[in-house]
Amino acid sequence: MLRLALVLFTLLGGGAAFAQSVFTVPQVPVYAEADTSALAQDQARREGSEAALDILLRRIVAEEDWIYLPRLVEGEPAPVLGDGGAYRPVVERDYDAAYNPNAEVGVLPVSEKQPISVDRAQLSQLEEGFDVFNEKSSGTTYRAQITFRFKPDAIRSLLQSARIPYSEEQARDVLVLPVLETVEGLYLWEAKNPWARAWLERPLTSELTPMQLPVGDVVDIQAITAEEARDLNAASLREFAKRYQAEDVFLALGRLDDVNGEYRLVVKLINATPPAIGMNWQASAIGTTVAESLFRGTNDDFPALARRAVEGTVQRHARQWKQQTLVDYSLQRSFEVTAWYGDLEEWAEIRSALESTPLVRNLDPGVFNRENAIIQLTVVGDDQQFDLAMEQRGLDLWRDASGRWDLAEKERAAQLQNTLDPLAPTIDEQAGRGQTLGLGRLFRRRDTDADGQSGGTTRQADPNVPELPDDLFGDDG
């Protein structure tokens, strides 16, 4: 058992993985042969960047729209063009220019999609940088793993110019327990568990549905057994999840059978989030199958079958999330929402959550005080997608009886929605939109006359407001 723990610890760097940008494509394997190692290196990197862009575009675009995407690895245009097809972009796009979601993209109807064409020069404009790992070279060969980073605004511009919906909204991290079931028994922490190794080898943190794997040390081994994981033992799963501060836990259960000289691997991705851990723990979905697939292969190479099964399972799970978060960027609306909080730290967390979602195109916090803030939002996509984005960030968005939108962290939202008193932001009507009670009191220093000139008298000090230095706002002049 302990041998695999050491392997897991080494591969994961001694800690849990964290979500990366969906515009990062990690650990692309590259290999090339040429007359010199330098030429081989250049060829490998070029081919690797093409493979990485293929992966990225198919990661964030719905499968039914893949026909509009080029096949860069094969050196082929988008399938909709057919053999010998020609395509001239609707508009020429400078991928290094600042992204403007409202820019004109030609005279196409909003619903008309266009195939994408990317040549070598454009590909270099789309790239932001790369990192090389496990580099090996000889006189004529080059081998490595390269992580490619692409410019988010450039990729957005590329897809929106072609009128192709896409998703860049990441789900919360999920902690995955890879359990293998065979006629010989169950495997989780054991050294001879190629199922766990296949999950370890596959980068998981840049997906729309990012995942992390446990360290696999002695503490993990003692916390939960393969049997307890398979049987969804809530007590063991709860303690295990607490160690990683995981809000969601999935069981990747692989059942392997040898049928007539053929391996058959049934993979179930199961929601194993125990009650009192998940964001919606009161209605825990523990035991729900998130994705299920059957994979076949020769019975002499299970590691290859396992790798293929992991890839298929990750893609199947991401496909369901992508359908929920796929955004038509021609849909844009503006509305007002009242954010409720207990202190300024909580307000900062709400604002950070809003700014972190790609659905929010503009945010204007016009009026705020110590309890609430009135925010003007411009968002893309439909109502359900924005609701889901907020839920993923621990926020609830709801509409009150008057039709006004309200937003708060989940616990506070539950309290507010259960109150009998109507919710209304506290605004200092005399001060106008730019001033509120609470912080307005904090910033007022002197009485003013009708012309805005100081009357020379100081307001009564408020014992609840900290005293500010006289020069905070500069010379009153």
Side-chain angles (χ1 to χ4, degrees):
M1 285 187 177
L2 296 183
R3 289 198 306 165
L4 182 58
L6 294 175
V7 171
L8 292 172
F9 189 86
T10 300
L11 290 175
L12 288 177
F18 296 93
Q20 298 177 8
S21 166
V22 295
F23 298 100
T24 296
V25 182
Q27 300 177 31
V28 177
V30 299
Y31 174 80
E33 296 184 24
D35 292 338
T36 66
S37 60
L39 290 174
Q41 180 178 1
D42 182 66
Q43 178 183 336
R45 201 196 74 77
R46 183 177 65 253
E47 293 175 353
S49 65
E50 293 171 348
L53 185 58
D54 276 346
I55 292 171
L56 171 58
L57 293 178
R58 282 153 181 79
R59 172 188 292 165
I60 62 178
V61 171
E63 287 189 20
E64 58 266 28
D65 288 336
W66 286 4
I67 58 173
Y68 297 100
L69 304 178
R71 297 176 176 177
L72 297 176
V73 170
E74 288 84 1
E76 299 174 358
V80 292
L81 295 175
D83 294 336
Y87 168 65
R88 185 165 56 89
V90 179
V91 292
E92 294 297 329
R93 180 68 65 174
D94 181 1
Y95 298 115
D96 285 322
Y99 170 64
N100 179 6
N102 299 314
E104 292 295 326
V105 290
V107 295
L108 288 175
V110 171
S111 60
E112 186 175 343
K113 300 172 184 177
Q114 287 286 294
I116 290 176
S117 176
V118 178
D119 59 27
R120 183 63 235 173
Q122 290 173 320
L123 181 56
S124 64
Q125 284 186 311
L126 295 172
E127 290 181 18
E128 187 173 68
F130 62 93
D131 300 299
V132 181
F133 306 92
N134 302 323
E135 195 174 31
K136 297 179 181 178
S137 64
S138 67
T140 58
T141 65
Y142 179 83
R143 185 191 305 272
Q145 291 178 320
I146 305 180
T147 293
F148 292 91
R149 300 184 303 279
F150 292 91
K151 299 174 184 176
D153 284 350
I155 299 297
R156 293 173 185 135
S157 181
L158 179 72
L159 292 169
Q160 291 189 33
S161 295
R163 307 290 194 189
I164 298 176
Y166 62 93
S167 172
E168 58 175 290
E169 181 71 43
Q170 285 185 293
R172 291 191 301 266
D173 268 8
V174 170
L175 181 63
V176 176
L177 280 167
V179 175
L180 178 65
E181 185 175 18
T182 73
V183 293
E184 304 295 332
L186 288 174
Y187 301 90
L188 174 57
W189 308 118
E190 288 76 9
K192 295 182 179 179
N193 183 0
W195 182 232
R197 185 176 293 277
W199 280 93
L200 285 165
E201 292 176 352
R202 204 308 187 163
L204 300 168
T205 57
S206 296
E207 299 295 325
L208 291 175
T209 50
M211 301 177 183
Q212 61 167 303
L213 293 165
V215 173
D217 58 9
V218 175
V219 177
D220 282 350
I221 293 171
Q222 294 175 344
I224 190 168
T225 65
E227 289 78 7
E228 290 171 334
R230 180 199 58 185
D231 297 338
L232 302 178
N233 184 294
S236 298
L237 287 167
R238 187 177 298 113
E239 293 305 313
F240 186 74
K242 283 182 180 178
R243 183 189 185 196
Y244 292 91
Q245 299 180 327
E247 296 174 348
D248 298 285
V249 182
F250 279 6
L251 172 67
L253 180 61
R255 290 192 175 95
L256 179 65
D257 291 300
D258 189 340
V259 180
N260 299 324
E262 178 188 62
Y263 275 148
R264 296 183 183 178
L265 180 64
V266 177
V267 180
K268 284 188 177 182
L269 196 60
I270 301 171
N271 188 336
T273 307
I277 287 293
M279 298 292 289
N280 298 313
W281 60 268
Q282 290 176 324
S284 175
I286 187 170
T288 302
T289 297
V290 177
E292 182 175 3
S293 301
L294 169 64
F295 300 90
R296 301 169 183 265
T298 60
N299 64 356
D300 59 351
D301 193 358
F302 178 69
L305 175 62
R307 288 191 293 270
R308 184 157 53 86
V310 170
E311 182 66 32
T313 301
V314 170
Q315 290 188 8
R316 188 181 182 99
H317 175 44
R319 186 185 310 141
Q320 298 170 7
W321 172 260
K322 190 190 303 184
Q323 290 300 325
Q324 292 180 274
T325 59
L326 200 68
V327 175
D328 181 351
Y329 283 82
S330 66
L331 300 176
Q332 182 169 297
R333 68 194 190 283
S334 298
F335 61 97
E336 186 176 89
V337 62
T338 301
W340 299 86
Y341 43 84
D343 52 40
L344 295 183
E345 181 179 354
E346 191 174 334
W347 157 235
E349 292 173 353
I350 292 175
R351 178 162 180 170
S352 176
L354 288 169
E355 291 174 340
S356 70
T357 171
L359 299 182
V360 173
R361 286 304 186 210
N362 187 56
L363 184 155
D364 179 18
V367 176
F368 63 96
N369 57 39
R370 289 177 175 175
E371 295 180 346
N372 47 61
I374 298 179
I375 309 171
Q376 292 291 333
L377 287 178
T378 300
V379 302
V380 293
D382 58 35
D383 292 346
Q384 291 76 17
Q385 290 171 328
F386 186 63
D387 288 349
L388 181 60
M390 294 298 96
E391 191 275 334
Q392 287 293 303
R393 289 160 175 80
L395 302 178
D396 265 353
L397 180 72
W398 75 98
R399 212 165 193 168
D400 63 17
S402 67
R404 187 183 63 244
W405 288 103
D406 296 289
L407 181 70
E409 293 187 352
K410 287 186 174 293
E411 185 175 350
R412 189 169 306 280
Q415 297 171 350
L416 292 171
Q417 292 178 66
N418 290 330
T419 184
L420 297 179
D421 299 325
L423 298 178
T426 307
I427 304 174
D428 186 345
E429 298 295 346
Q430 294 181 346
R433 180 170 177 78
Q435 190 112 79
T436 66
L437 296 176
L439 291 182
R441 291 158 48 230
L442 186 67
F443 284 67
R444 286 197 293 268
R445 297 172 61 203
R446 296 183 177 89
D447 286 327
T448 57
D449 58 25
D451 296 326
Q453 300 299 317
S454 172
T457 60
T458 304
R459 291 184 184 272
Q460 182 67 34
D462 188 334
N464 297 318
V465 177
E467 184 175 348
L468 301 179
D470 289 338
D471 62 350
L472 179 64
F473 299 100
D475 187 357
D476 289 336

